[in-house]
Amino acid sequence: MSNEFVRRSLDEIRFWSRIMKEHSLFLKLGFRCDDTELIQEANRFYSIFEQIEGASHSFTESTDPEQIKRFNAEVQTAATHIWAFKRKVLGLIIQCKLPGGNNFPLLVDHVSREANYFRNRLKELNEGKLEPLPDAIIDENVFFLRIMADHAKFIGHLLDPSERQLVEQARNFSHDFDQLLFQAIDLSGMRPQSQTQPLLGQFLDENRVSVVSLRDFKKTARDLIDACRIKSIIHPLLADHVFREAERFLFIIDMFEANLIGGAQSHQQSKK
């Protein structure tokens, strides 16, 4: 294990622990006032991930990797527990045992997928079993494109129906990202033959253009909500939350493109 292991571990935990903390708040806000046990569970998870987020900033890249490995294992356990909580809530909603609440089933499924992603990433880091670059490019894009498509759907449903132009924009983004997701799934099914540098490079370029557009739309919506200039039931923190996840996706695309270009250049030099 190395400083790179420490850096990547802390980066994942700092980003996703904040996301998990905010999920706890959003779920709580969607429960009915008499769902006291679920509200208490959500509050407990909020505190757990707030503590994890704070603890993550007490470490540095020079921290002993073995210490970070233990921290990863602790956080992975917390992520597994919040994943189970989210799946329990989803089951209650789908079985009509929480009538009148304000948590969409797709939203609860969405946040549980992110918890599953987080816990799996920590497990992979600790076991040193991160995917090879070509597989990681496809799998990360399949995951995040679905997340972005979900965000567009949530925004469209949480805006006031009278905000017709913004609702239409959100619907268009939902359609666009559904198409990009299907395209990514097709590319995934064509593995390993599809994993050439030109195809993967084009794949990342196309997704970047669309994610930048969605990120900018989210930023505009967030700023309008903060300024109370549009009608919606979107919590200001939720608006910022989905903006940060789009920024995260762009960060990952940048990282993949840099590694893809670097790998291609190394291959060319080795042929000379």
Side-chain angles (χ1 to χ4, degrees):
M1 289 186 288
S2 64
N3 287 350
E4 179 63 14
F5 164 79
V6 173
R7 187 195 65 77
R8 289 199 63 177
S9 296
L10 293 177
D11 174 67
E12 295 285 352
I13 292 173
R14 286 168 182 168
F15 179 81
W16 288 108
S17 62
R18 182 180 180 187
I19 294 296
M20 295 299 113
K21 179 182 73 173
E22 292 170 355
H23 285 171
S24 304
L25 173 64
F26 301 146
L27 289 172
K28 182 181 81 168
L29 293 175
F31 292 139
R32 303 165 304 178
C33 60
D34 53 350
D35 296 323
T36 53
E37 288 187 12
L38 293 175
I39 290 170
Q40 287 172 1
E41 279 193 83
N43 283 336
R44 184 169 64 84
F45 279 117
Y46 186 96
S47 297
I48 287 170
F49 282 98
E50 187 171 52
Q51 290 169 11
I52 289 170
E53 183 186 10
S56 71
H57 290 284
S58 69
F59 298 114
T60 68
E61 290 186 21
S62 61
T63 301
D64 178 8
E66 285 297 332
Q67 189 177 356
I68 297 301
K69 189 174 183 180
R70 290 192 294 272
F71 185 47
N72 283 354
E74 292 171 10
V75 179
Q76 183 192 340
T77 298
T80 297
H81 288 158
I82 197 172
W83 169 81
F85 172 65
K86 291 168 176 176
R87 299 309 291 182
K88 178 180 76 173
V89 171
L90 178 61
L92 292 171
I93 295 170
I94 288 178
Q95 295 163 27
C96 301
K97 294 179 180 177
L98 288 178
N102 290 314
N103 289 313
F104 293 128
L106 182 62
L107 184 144
V108 183
D109 176 60
H110 172 100
V111 298
S112 76
R113 276 183 268 124
E114 292 187 347
N116 195 47
Y117 171 96
F118 182 27
R119 67 176 183 152
N120 285 339
R121 177 50 45 83
L122 293 174
K123 183 173 184 285
E124 290 167 354
L125 282 163
N126 268 12
E127 294 178 354
K129 294 181 179 177
L130 293 174
E131 287 187 306
L133 180 64
D135 286 321
I137 288 174
I138 292 176
D139 291 339
E140 290 281 313
N141 277 269
V142 167
F143 173 79
F144 273 101
L145 288 170
R146 186 177 180 190
I147 294 298
M148 296 300 113
D150 289 348
H151 285 172
K153 293 173 177 63
F154 300 146
I155 292 169
H157 282 79
L158 295 171
L159 287 164
D160 189 80
S162 69
E163 295 285 359
R164 289 172 173 79
Q165 188 172 357
L166 288 173
V167 169
E168 186 64 22
Q169 283 182 270
R171 285 176 180 160
N172 288 338
F173 277 118
S174 172
H175 176 267
D176 290 347
F177 276 88
D178 281 344
Q179 296 307 308
L180 289 171
L181 174 59
F182 295 146
Q183 191 168 304
I185 291 171
D186 289 340
L187 195 67
S188 176
M190 296 176 189
R191 286 188 273 191
Q193 287 79 7
S194 61
Q195 292 173 310
T196 67
Q197 200 277 343
L199 278 179
L200 293 177
Q202 175 64 14
F203 176 62
L204 291 172
D205 286 344
E206 287 182 6
N207 291 344
R208 169 195 290 285
V209 171
S210 295
V211 178
V212 167
S213 295
L214 179 60
R215 187 272 314 270
D216 292 347
F217 171 72
K218 288 174 174 178
K219 183 178 185 300
T220 298
R222 181 196 66 183
D223 293 346
L224 290 172
I225 289 166
D226 281 343
C228 198
R229 293 178 61 189
I230 58 173
K231 302 176 292 298
S232 80
I233 56 171
I234 299 173
H235 193 289
L237 183 60
L238 178 59
D240 186 61
H241 179 99
V242 297
F243 167 76
R244 277 183 272 118
E245 289 191 2
E247 287 272 87
R248 181 74 175 183
F249 190 12
L250 286 173
F251 167 78
I252 290 170
I253 289 175
D254 284 344
M255 180 180 67
F256 283 149
E257 286 192 325
N259 288 336
L260 202 60
I261 292 169
Q265 289 174 343
S266 296
H267 180 67
Q268 288 295 328
Q269 289 172 358
S270 66
K271 289 172 65 178
K272 291 181 180 178

